[in-house]
């Protein structure tokens, strides 16, 4: 009898994924849960999501999620931190790439970082989780974490990338526009609404086929 059968929940065993039976370390399982949490919070928002939904998406039991994170609030904070860590890591990797010098035809640092932001659409729920966090500014705990994260992105553009305040503002504004488009599931109207089609082509001039392929649609969950 499995541990899931013993506790009567029907969920996966606390320490082993149901699909393989392979034991994972607590760090590996924590990572698995955070991936699921980002997808669920990205789809449902903080208020709409539950730890039980995250557990089902991760293939673990709800008590195991609570054991690792303690509460839904702590889980959401961890998902915000993970999303920001992934975001800044992608930006720094793009910034560190050699553009071949002033005479190179390769993409500039700004274009590489913009591409990195678009590529993160493939991380299910990353942009949406951050967008949900930014809407919770009045929450004394989540709002404070969201503000720190937002400021850390600003500091990357100013201190590490070396942009002026106006350039950094433009970069963040474009990023927020893209995040808003993702959250609205506006892709559902691509091709049928001329205004939406124009907007997509303006925001994603070279990556459009890939973006259309990976963006979640209105009927998708996690």
């Amino acid at each position: 009898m499995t541990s899931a059968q013993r506790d009567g929940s029907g969920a996966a065993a606390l320490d082993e994924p149901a699909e393989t039976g392979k034991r994972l370390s607590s760090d590996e399982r924590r990572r698995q849960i955070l991936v699921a949490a980002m997808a669920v919070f990205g789809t449902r928002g903080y208020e709409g999501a539950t730890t039980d939904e995250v557990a089902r998406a991760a293939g673990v039991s709800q008590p195991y999620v609570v054991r690792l994170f303690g509460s839904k609030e702590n889980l959401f904070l961890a998902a915000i931190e993970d999303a920001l860590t992934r975001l800044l890591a992608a930006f720094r990797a793009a910034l560190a790439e050699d553009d071949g010098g002033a005479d190179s035809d390769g993409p500039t640092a700004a274009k590489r970082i913009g591409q990195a932001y678009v590529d993160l659409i493939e991380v299910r729920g990353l942009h949406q989780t951050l967008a949900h966090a930014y809407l919770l500014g009045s929450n004394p705990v989540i709002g404070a974490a969201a503000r720190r994260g937002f400021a850390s992105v600003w500091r990357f553009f100013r201190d590490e990338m070396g942009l002026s305040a106006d350039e950094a503002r433009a970069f963040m504004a474009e990023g927020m526009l893209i995040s808003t488009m993702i959250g609205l599931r506006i892709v559902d109207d691509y091709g049928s609404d001329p205004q939406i089609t124009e907007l997509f082509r303006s925001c994603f001039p070279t990556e459009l086929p890939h973006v259309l392929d990976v963006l979640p649609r209105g009927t998708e969950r996690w």
Side-chain angles (χ1 to χ4, degrees):
M1 178 180 292
T2 67
S3 59
Q5 290 171 323
R6 283 195 296 272
D7 69 19
S9 67
L14 293 185
D15 299 311
E16 297 182 3
E19 65 275 12
T20 65
K22 176 185 175 183
R23 294 186 67 86
L24 300 179
S25 69
S26 60
D27 285 344
E28 290 172 326
R29 185 51 54 81
R30 188 177 191 277
R31 163 60 42 201
Q32 179 180 344
I33 292 170
L34 283 175
V35 168
M38 209 177 296
V40 174
F41 284 126
T43 300
R44 303 275 286 164
Y46 176 67
E47 295 296 338
T50 66
T51 55
D52 187 57
E53 288 170 327
V54 172
R56 289 200 302 272
V60 300
S61 71
Q62 191 268 354
Y64 187 80
V65 172
V66 174
R67 193 171 94 191
L68 281 186
F69 293 93
S71 66
K72 184 174 81 167
E73 181 178 83
N74 287 343
L75 179 59
F76 189 61
L77 290 170
I80 296 171
E81 181 180 6
D82 188 47
L84 286 164
T85 297
R86 287 173 178 250
L87 178 71
L88 290 171
F91 284 175
R92 288 174 177 132
L95 184 62
E97 291 178 15
D98 184 2
D99 61 13
D103 297 329
S104 172
D105 292 330
T108 64
K111 288 184 178 179
R112 295 196 306 271
I113 289 169
Q115 182 64 54
Y117 188 76
V118 171
D119 288 345
L120 285 169
I121 292 173
E122 294 193 44
V123 181
R124 192 75 175 271
L126 183 146
H127 293 85
Q128 299 97 312
T129 294
L130 291 177
H132 285 303
Y134 297 153
L135 293 173
L136 292 171
S138 62
N139 183 292
V141 178
I142 295 172
R147 287 189 291 276
R148 286 193 300 271
F150 199 77
S152 71
V153 177
W154 175 262
R155 291 264 54 95
F156 168 82
F157 289 133
R158 295 284 281 123
D159 298 342
E160 298 183 46
M161 196 175 171
L163 297 182
S164 68
D166 283 345
E167 290 169 333
R169 173 189 51 77
F171 236 101
M172 292 190 74
E174 184 167 352
M176 294 301 289
L177 171 61
I178 291 172
S179 293
T180 299
M181 291 168 64
I182 296 169
L184 285 170
R185 301 289 178 105
I186 208 168
V187 67
D188 291 354
D189 295 329
Y190 178 81
S192 60
D193 184 325
Q195 306 308 316
I196 299 304
T197 302
E198 180 183 59
L199 177 59
F200 262 89
R201 290 175 177 170
S202 175
C203 289
F204 308 108
T206 60
E207 314 91 350
L208 185 57
H210 175 63
V211 168
L212 292 174
D213 186 54
V214 300
L215 276 177
R217 306 284 170 157
T219 57
E220 292 181 35
R221 290 172 65 84
W222 55 83

